[in-house]
Amino acid sequence: MKHVIIICDGSSLGNGSKGSRAAAVALVGYKNRWKAFAEYIGEATNQQAEIIAAAIGLEQLREPCRVTLFSDSRYVIETMASGWKRRANHDLWDRLDRAASNHQVEWKWIKGHAGHKLQEMVDSAARKIASSGNAEESFLIELAEKVSKSEAVI
């Protein structure tokens, strides 16, 4: 079974208020090959963007994998790994459950803005996409190439 690493982050400029701009980004890595995926969400909260980011990464996997998924969202990690009660966003949790269902996922929290280079790159991408309102494919290819050339580790 392949071991895949996913580093994901969501960003919401305005955090769910009218006119907020949110995006989710997932960086998926296997054997030092990286691909980046993103979704511009529009009006959403940061928590919603974080759930979608994790789902996006897992949805890219075409076969059952052993996955280590890193997120700076305790909301996502603790809900999926420790059974925190789901009080809202049930449609998004359902999406994440479906995306994770075929995989063995290890949910790992990583402190945001703490110098983890790959996490910082994903965070920056999510902010840029939220700000621009566009998840351009060329930008995602550039991100994946940048990460592949990086010596950064989790």
Side-chain angles (χ1 to χ4, degrees):
M1 186 177 277
K2 285 183 184 177
H3 178 229
V4 175
I5 295 173
I6 297 175
I7 304 156
C8 55
D9 201 8
S11 178
S12 178
L13 309 176
N15 199 23
S17 62
K18 185 103 172 119
S20 64
R21 299 168 68 90
V25 175
L27 187 62
V28 179
Y30 172 68
K31 290 188 175 181
N32 292 332
R33 291 191 330 252
W34 294 92
K35 289 191 177 183
F37 303 92
E39 186 174 320
Y40 174 71
I41 303 164
E43 286 185 21
T45 66
N46 193 62
Q47 290 180 336
Q48 291 167 332
E50 296 283 4
I51 298 167
I52 293 169
I56 287 170
L58 291 165
E59 289 167 349
Q60 305 314 309
L61 305 178
R62 300 295 173 228
E63 63 187 78
C65 295
R66 192 169 46 89
V67 178
T68 305
L69 186 142
F70 292 91
S71 173
D72 65 355
S73 169
R74 284 205 185 272
Y75 180 61
V76 169
I77 299 303
E78 297 296 340
T79 300
M80 295 304 288
S82 300
W84 280 12
K85 187 166 175 77
R86 300 174 182 193
R87 293 191 164 95
N89 302 312
H90 298 289
D91 56 333
L92 299 178
W93 288 119
D94 289 345
R95 176 180 175 182
L96 183 53
D97 286 340
R98 281 190 309 275
S101 67
N102 291 329
H103 310 290
Q104 297 173 4
V105 183
E106 180 181 11
W107 303 92
K108 292 196 148 228
W109 179 74
I110 186 168
K111 184 176 174 91
H113 311 289
H116 300 285
K117 191 171 183 179
L118 297 180
Q119 192 278 331
E120 296 286 346
M121 293 168 91
V122 173
D123 174 77
S124 176
R127 290 175 184 272
K128 181 176 180 177
I129 292 166
S131 179
S132 71
N134 187 356
E136 291 178 32
E137 186 174 347
S138 62
F139 173 70
L140 298 174
I141 291 169
E142 178 184 319
L143 172 63
E145 287 174 352
K146 202 169 167 184
V147 170
S148 294
K149 292 177 185 172
S150 169
E151 297 295 318
V153 293
I154 291 293

